[in-house]
Amino acid sequence: MDMEWKATIMDEAQLQRCVARIAHEIVERNQGTGDICLLGIKRRGIPLAERIAEKILQFEGVRVPVGHIDIALYRDDLTELSALPDASDCVIPCVVRDTTFILVDDVLYTGRTARAAIDAVMHFGRPKAIQLAVLIDRGHRELPIRPDFVGKNIPTAKSEVVCVRLHPVDEENSVELFLR
């Protein structure tokens, strides 16, 4: 599918400032780092969670646990995606019931990915709390999902695509807007 470039939303420096702000907000809202764990949603949520953890380490001198989840088996459109999904790949590096999990993803759109991520965490037990951090909130929610931490709100048309690029998944760090 060919897409037409519309705008650069964030360059690398702007992206780093957003990550730093999200890291500060997470520490402030949770009154420290004592019982939090970052869970990156596979693919670009993983490097984003690792960057947030690095910023928290720089600011607070504490390395918070970082895990990741693959929501493939928890999606509500599973039969539309494939007949036989891959096994779920979840790494949760702490005790679930005593932890506040911060789900980390690149773009929040309909809310279905976030809902699937919540289901994935709940599969492992009942956490203390679940929060959601996203780099971009583009609107158009189909479920009652609201992020706790947002890098940038970008009102979009449904015909637009927000493209987040992050090392090491991609060759550059940027956020761009395209028209389908």
Side-chain angles (χ1 to χ4, degrees):
M1 174 190 320
D2 287 331
M3 294 190 296
E4 176 187 338
W5 179 85
K6 279 190 75 174
T8 297
I9 305 299
M10 284 188 213
D11 61 19
E12 186 161 359
Q14 293 167 315
L15 200 146
Q16 289 306 319
R17 283 192 296 276
C18 277
V19 168
R21 185 171 30 80
I22 290 169
H24 278 295
E25 289 174 1
I26 287 171
V27 172
E28 184 175 320
R29 177 164 181 181
N30 290 284
Q31 299 174 347
T33 60
D35 62 355
I36 65 172
C37 176
L38 301 173
L39 288 180
I41 299 173
K42 191 175 179 180
R43 289 203 43 182
R44 287 171 186 83
I46 297 170
L48 196 54
E50 291 167 351
R51 289 171 190 213
I52 293 169
E54 282 300 314
K55 289 294 181 187
I56 292 173
L57 177 61
Q58 288 174 10
F59 303 145
E60 298 292 313
V62 175
R63 182 170 299 282
V64 297
V66 179
H68 62 269
I69 55 177
D70 182 349
I71 61 160
L73 291 178
Y74 300 93
R75 291 186 60 105
D76 60 1
D77 59 356
L78 187 59
T79 57
E80 297 172 21
L81 295 177
S82 69
L84 295 170
D86 293 334
S88 182
D89 176 24
C90 297
V91 174
I92 299 182
C94 42
V95 177
V96 173
R97 88 172 167 273
D98 298 330
T99 305
T100 296
F101 288 98
I102 295 114
L103 301 173
V104 180
D105 205 4
D106 57 348
V107 178
L108 178 59
Y109 182 35
T110 63
R112 293 183 182 279
T113 296
R115 189 219 36 95
I118 292 167
D119 288 349
V121 171
M122 297 299 283
H123 175 82
F124 292 95
R126 185 171 185 222
K128 181 177 176 182
I130 299 175
Q131 299 169 359
L132 177 61
V134 297
L135 184 62
I136 304 294
D137 182 350
R138 65 170 289 189
H140 304 287
R141 218 74 78 238
E142 295 174 2
L143 299 173
I145 301 285
R146 178 190 56 80
D148 299 280
F149 313 101
V150 179
K152 188 167 186 143
N153 287 292
I154 302 174
T156 62
K158 288 190 176 189
S159 61
E160 294 173 323
V161 175
V162 176
C163 182
V164 175
R165 294 187 180 105
L166 296 171
H167 285 293
V169 177
D170 305 294
E171 293 182 15
E172 64 179 286
N173 294 309
S174 67
V175 180
E176 293 184 325
L177 188 64
F178 290 87
L179 183 62
R180 272 186 251 218

